[in-house]
Amino acid sequence: MMLSLLLAASLNAAVAQGNSHAQAVTDLVVSGSDEALVTEVSRQPDAARAAFSDYLQQSAMTEADRLARAYFTAWTDPFLLQEARRFRRWSLADRRMKLTADSLRLAGNEAYGYDGVPAAIALWRESLGYSERLTDQSGAAKSLGNIGAGFYTVGELDSARIQLTQAYELAIEAGDLRTAAGALTNLANIAYELGDMARAADRYAEASDLLARTGSYRFQSATQHNLALVSMSLGDLHGARIALEESIRLSRLHGFPDDEAEGLISLADIARAEGAYGEAAELLDRALDLSGETGNQGVMAGAWHSLGVLWTARGDYRKAERFLVLALESYARLGRLPDMVDARQDRARTLIAAGDMRGGLRQVQAAISLADSLAMGARRSADLVMTAADINLALNEYTLALDQFAQARTSYRAANDMAGQAAALEGLGYLSLVRGDAAEAHDALAQALRLQTSAGRPDPRAVALTRLSLAAAQQEMGDTATARQTLRLAGDGLSSVDDVVGQAAVVATLGELEMGAGRPWTADSLYRLGLELLGERTAPGVSWQLHAGLAETSASFGHLSEAAGELRRAIA
């Protein structure tokens, strides 16, 4: 899930972001009363700042002064008054230099969403050069903040931290609270990536306090978005949903469609985690519509990425693959390398689920190669190790998989990621199961289940799949009664999220229980039901078990030719 950068471009692109409302403020400046102007500025502070910047570019100083006074009256933020006074003192040549710097920075903001990070950073650096020659602290802070956000996007966290820290310090000296808050937001994003949730939450809160003094609805929305992601990492899906819904409301109300689309993508990820797959699909369709209207390729890629993960969870691996390839191609064009790492991992998981081990391995190797060139946070590094462990488990490389699951668990713990810790424990439990240690498997899986269910609203699919493995361990230990009960719970959970492949896996395990209890006719019916559930889906990890089960029941009925045919299908 992407952090809501809103680019520190974010806090600096008032002209680019506010034009949809700026005309109303402009009309009031020209013809309205001061009281009406203060009311409108209070209602639409982002648009007011956009109109102010327009006036400076037109050298319409009387209107700019009036608007700056109204903004100060509405929000007690003197920054626009200071900017108007500085602009008035400058020579004509200096004013032109200021406007050139602003134009280059805004062009970089535009390039970020459409041409990619390298093109944007080149424009921001050029803008920075003009601001430094002019000794314009606020302008330099804006460009530095955007450059830092760009470095963050491409995974250069140390460079990002340096640029963002300088941006924050310059912005505070200049009294530009919105730019300072933007730098803090992206510094918080870095802390989030590195797993320092307490520091991330503190910096988001500090940024929110600054923004509250400027009336910046857009960036209050961004802060709510980012706080939601912190809540998700801590397992609080309910708190995350509330924060995201507020973020989306603010973006929609004040006319920021790209930000609204980013919020919808993250809300869809929460809906998927809660098992509400239909809701997730609807949210992602709306996000694609919005990004299609604005032409923002980065947001569109994020929606495709989430759709790929969603369709993997729903068992339609072909559709998932199509969306993930689209996302990867778009990320590559835009230079968003960390997002490429994430998408390659998700594509690897999809290919593994579809039985393409070689393809999955190629994707993981490409992701690791790319990650080696980046400064990856603890969470992303743990995700990479987990994906590699899953593949090695599937390839029977048990010793390597054991080390990787243990390493991932340690990294997830360092990142305070409860869901990740549970997934690593589940991997360790399943590994113990296939190696024949049912008691050790049971302990690890039970611990994973406790972690998953300790959250306010746990991911029903993840819980159900852990129960499925736990039931297999209970069966191996001879506790068939408890295994049946655990399987019923797993089946209910998978049915609630419409995971057909998971339901078929439950049916396969129930068939094994019936066969072990000496009821081959019941087992045979279950195996056939499982294959009926799968239909045309490519899910070899489950379908081979169902065919092998049918071979066993057919042999018990004396139908040896039919049993041989089922075994050939299982082998294939």
Side-chain angles (χ1 to χ4, degrees):
M1 176 181 303
M2 297 180 299
L3 283 171
S4 179
L5 288 177
L6 293 181
L7 254 191
S10 63
L11 299 143
N12 314 325
V15 174
Q17 313 302 345
N19 282 335
S20 60
H21 298 300
Q23 189 59 49
V25 177
T26 302
D27 293 343
L28 277 169
V29 172
V30 173
S31 62
S33 68
D34 285 343
E35 181 179 349
L37 177 59
V38 170
T39 300
E40 188 64 18
V41 168
S42 177
R43 191 173 69 86
Q44 298 189 94
D46 294 322
R49 293 175 70 99
F52 174 82
S53 188
D54 280 340
Y55 285 132
L56 288 186
Q57 292 195 43
Q58 299 161 13
S59 295
M61 293 304 302
T62 300
E63 288 88 348
D65 287 340
R66 185 175 167 207
L67 181 54
R69 286 194 299 272
Y71 188 85
F72 176 73
T73 301
W75 295 101
T76 66
D77 179 5
F79 177 68
L80 296 189
L81 285 171
Q82 295 166 8
E83 286 286 280
R85 284 197 294 268
R86 284 199 314 135
F87 194 82
R88 190 183 289 279
R89 289 196 302 267
W90 280 338
S91 67
L92 182 59
D94 285 348
R95 290 181 186 183
R96 286 174 177 162
M97 190 180 298
K98 167 67 173 173
L99 299 181
T100 299
D102 285 351
S103 297
L104 285 166
R105 191 183 68 253
L106 295 175
N109 297 349
E110 187 84 1
Y112 175 84
Y114 302 92
D115 301 319
V117 177
I121 287 180
L123 289 164
W124 292 329
R125 286 194 186 282
E126 196 174 350
S127 173
L128 175 62
Y130 281 105
S131 294
E132 288 177 337
R133 276 154 50 194
L134 191 58
T135 321
D136 177 9
Q137 286 183 310
S138 174
K142 289 175 170 67
S143 294
L144 283 166
N146 288 5
I147 292 168
F151 279 132
Y152 169 83
T153 305
V154 298
E156 297 184 28
L157 300 188
D158 288 337
S159 296
R161 187 186 294 107
I162 291 169
Q163 303 290 328
L164 291 166
T165 301
Q166 291 177 359
Y168 173 75
E169 292 170 352
L170 280 176
I172 289 295
E173 287 179 22
D176 187 350
L177 301 183
R178 295 216 316 175
T179 299
L184 274 177
T185 295
N186 284 314
L187 286 168
N189 290 346
I190 292 172
Y192 174 91
E193 288 291 342
L194 297 174
D196 190 345
M197 293 298 139
R199 188 172 184 81
D202 286 346
R203 283 186 155 165
Y204 286 138
E206 188 178 348
S208 184
D209 289 343
L210 290 176
L211 293 169
R213 293 156 59 186
T214 71
S216 177
Y217 297 121
R218 184 179 189 222
F219 305 109
Q220 289 175 32
S221 167
T223 301
Q224 288 295 316
H225 188 152
N226 291 332
L227 285 170
L229 299 185
V230 172
S231 295
M232 278 193 75
S233 296
L234 298 175
D236 181 9
L237 295 183
H238 180 63
R241 178 180 279 275
I242 290 172
L244 270 176
E245 287 173 346
E246 174 63 9
S247 171
I248 292 166
R249 185 190 71 81
L250 288 169
S251 294
R252 184 179 299 140
L253 181 64
H254 297 286
F256 302 116
D258 285 335
D259 304 343
E260 180 184 348
E262 282 197 10
L264 290 170
I265 292 168
S266 292
L267 189 58
D269 291 337
I270 290 176
R272 187 190 72 239
E274 292 176 335
Y277 290 176
E279 179 192 356
E282 290 176 7
L283 290 167
L284 291 171
D285 285 344
R286 284 164 52 196
L288 277 175
D289 287 343
L290 286 170
S291 59
E293 290 170 7
T294 64
N296 192 310
Q297 297 298 305
V299 177
M300 194 175 296
W304 285 331
H305 189 167
S306 286
L307 277 166
V309 176
L310 174 62
W311 283 107
T312 298
R314 299 183 87 164
D316 193 332
Y317 304 129
R318 290 192 183 93
K319 187 176 288 188
E321 169 79 352
R322 287 200 300 273
F323 282 121
L324 289 169
V325 168
L326 284 172
L328 270 168
E329 291 173 349
S330 189
Y331 288 148
R333 283 196 304 272
L334 296 171
R336 296 174 64 158
L337 303 184
D339 290 326
M340 285 184 68
V341 172
D342 294 343
R344 285 198 182 280
Q345 288 183 84
D346 289 325
R347 190 179 177 198
R349 295 186 184 105
T350 301
L351 291 170
I352 294 166
D356 184 356
M357 298 300 165
R358 290 182 182 275
L361 186 58
R362 283 195 297 270
Q363 290 299 314
V364 169
Q365 289 169 340
I368 291 172
S369 177
L370 182 56
D372 286 343
S373 67
L374 306 173
M376 302 289 288
R379 180 176 294 97
R380 274 198 172 106
S381 297
D383 286 345
L384 261 179
V385 173
M386 271 290 292
T387 306
D390 287 336
I391 289 182
N392 283 313
L393 176 59
L395 295 174
N396 299 331
E397 296 286 351
Y398 295 154
T399 302
L400 186 54
L402 176 63
D403 290 342
Q404 288 169 332
F405 281 131
Q407 180 185 343
R409 182 186 179 192
T410 300
S411 296
Y412 282 130
R413 188 185 296 120
N416 295 307
D417 188 331
M418 292 178 62
Q421 291 178 62
L425 276 167
E426 184 180 4
L428 288 167
Y430 188 79
L431 178 58
S432 296
L433 188 61
V434 297
R435 296 178 76 178
D437 192 336
E440 184 175 87
H442 183 278
D443 290 345
L445 292 165
Q447 189 176 348
L449 190 61
R450 283 194 296 273
L451 271 177
Q452 289 169 332
T453 54
S454 65
R457 292 190 180 182
D459 179 342
R461 181 172 183 266
V463 169
L465 291 175
T466 300
R467 283 186 169 135
L468 177 58
S469 297
L470 182 61
Q474 291 164 343
Q475 179 186 359
E476 288 295 318
M477 295 171 69
D479 189 356
T480 55
T482 304
R484 286 178 185 279
Q485 183 179 358
T486 303
L487 280 172
R488 278 195 294 272
L489 291 172
D492 290 344
L494 292 164
S495 178
S496 73
V497 298
D498 196 28
D499 183 347
V500 174
V501 175
Q503 292 175 61
V506 169
V507 169
T509 308
L510 282 169
E512 291 176 16
L513 282 172
E514 292 299 327
M515 197 65 189
R519 291 188 284 268
W521 289 109
T522 305
D524 189 81
S525 297
L526 287 167
Y527 293 138
R528 294 183 190 282
L529 172 61
L531 288 170
E532 184 180 333
L533 283 169
L534 288 180
E536 298 300 316
R537 289 177 174 83
T538 305
V542 178
S543 60
W544 81 263
Q545 298 177 55
L546 293 166
H547 285 298
L550 279 175
E552 188 176 3
T553 58
S554 296
S556 72
F557 302 148
H559 303 156
L560 299 185
S561 177
E562 185 178 333
E566 291 297 336
L567 283 173
R568 291 189 188 97
R569 294 185 185 94
I571 292 166

